[in-house]
Amino acid sequence: MAIPQSGATASLPAQSTYQSRVADYWNAEKNPVNLELGGIDDLYHHHYGVGDVKWSVLDEADPARRAERVTAELHRLEQAQAELLASHLGPLTPADRVFDAGCGRGGGSVVAHQRYGCHADGVTLSTTQADFANGQARARGIDGKVRYHHRNMLDTGFSTGSYAASWNNESTMYVELDLLFAEHSRLLRRGGRYVTITGCYNDTYGQASREVSLINAHYICDIHPRSAYFRAMARHRLVPVHVEDLTQATIPYWELRKTAEHLVTGIEDTFLTAYKNGSFQYLMIVADRV
Ligand SMILES: C[S@@+](CC[C@H](N)C(=O)[O-])C[C@H]1O[C@@H](n2cnc3c(N)ncnc32)[C@H](O)[C@@H]1O
């Protein structure tokens, strides 16, 4: 057996086979629902949306123009979600650092930077996403403050206590919550803020429904029950200060997306059924690191 020499370090990220498959998925991902929406203003999000739909977009008679208006409306709703999350990170100063866990193509870190002027570090398992997001930051001239890294969010290698705020926007379902919250708790300074927006299965339904299982298979993830978040946060010095059920607020996004032939991925009806049969919830949890 080869024994590492003194001072030798393993290269990051150290990832499991499962995590390599997740990385493969996101390296190959080119869904129009992500790229066409982001292309409108170069704010690329890989999450869903919240808020009321302006249904008048469907009144447009010209099909090409109607498709454009639907795309823009879906982007407005996903941007509203990113803004909602960012609004709970503060107050922050331009000297503060924030950590974007599972950052996708990087839109969330840009939104936080635009709002607070803060430094941001985003991490993703996908080299393609990290490269893309760094290119976007360079094009905006914010690469001195907003950086993306190909790293495992469970084991970032970043400095202990160096972040004023951190979040997961639709990326907790890829990891074990105890490992995730241990890392957030380590990275956040005392009094720091953690926010997650996530789909979770509803404990009052019982176990994961057929629809929740289909969503897991579609995205290669493992949706946690709502209760698991609070148990794991309590074990890792994260104390919820605000919890919001966004289920009703996200249903209009899915109703509109379902009409968009140029953007659908085939999972739309499953999400709508899961939300409407009570087995699945869209949740925001805001917590203080104590
Ligand atoms: C649905 S996307 C969400 C992206 C982004 N948060 C957003 O809102 O646009 C899920 C992201 O989680 C990332 N991810 C999953 N497991 C991860 C891990 N262990 N470490 C780092 N990133 C991870 C994926 O690479 C992908 O970028």
Side-chain angles (χ1 to χ4, degrees), residues 181-197:
F181 293 149
E183 184 66 345
H184 279 286
S185 188
R186 185 186 74 75
L187 293 173
L188 285 170
R189 69 184 183 207
R190 190 176 163 82
R193 186 45 77 75
Y194 173 74
V195 184
T196 183
I197 294 182

Side-chain angles (χ1 to χ4, degrees), residues 45-47 102 104 124-125 129 151-153 169-171 174:
H45 301 298
H46 296 346
H47 53 247
T124 169
L125 290 175
Q129 288 185 331
R151 293 192 188 200
N152 187 343
M153 64 183 165
N169 199 348
E170 285 178 22
S171 51
Y174 293 97

Side-chain angles (χ1 to χ4, degrees), residues 206-237:
Q207 294 276 339
S209 64
R210 178 174 179 276
E211 291 75 28
V212 167
S213 301
L214 287 170
I215 296 168
N216 280 337
H218 186 87
Y219 289 106
I220 329 172
C221 65
D222 186 13
I223 292 164
H224 306 290
R226 173 160 44 105
S227 56
Y229 284 88
F230 300 97
R231 288 204 189 96
M233 282 185 181
R235 284 193 287 264
H236 296 284
R237 304 174 65 167

Side-chain angles (χ1 to χ4, degrees), residues 66-79:
R66 184 168 61 243
E68 271 176 30
R69 289 189 63 189
V70 169
T71 303
E73 181 63 359
L74 288 170
H75 185 50
R76 187 180 69 76
L77 299 176
E78 64 174 8
Q79 180 67 16

Side-chain angles (χ1 to χ4, degrees), residues 239-252:
V239 180
V241 62
H242 177 76
V243 179
E244 199 168 332
D245 183 353
L246 298 173
T247 309
Q248 293 308 316
T250 195
I251 287 176

Side-chain angles (χ1 to χ4, degrees), residues 13-15 18-19 22-23 25-27 34 44-48 78 81-82 85 99-108 123-127 129 149-156 167-175 180 219:
Q15 61 188 37
Y18 166 76
Q19 288 165 342
V22 172
Y25 175 96
W26 289 106
N27 281 332
N34 288 324
Y44 289 86
H45 301 298
H46 296 346
H47 53 247
Y48 310 122
E78 64 174 8
Q81 180 178 319
L85 189 156
F99 168 51
D100 179 359
C103 62
R105 282 188 175 86
V123 305
T124 169
L125 290 175
S126 160
T127 49
Q129 288 185 331
H149 314 262
H150 171 216
R151 293 192 188 200
N152 187 343
M153 64 183 165
L154 303 180
D155 192 13
T156 60
W167 71 90
N168 287 94
N169 199 348
E170 285 178 22
S171 51
T172 50
M173 59 292 286
Y174 293 97
V175 291
L180 178 69
Y219 289 106

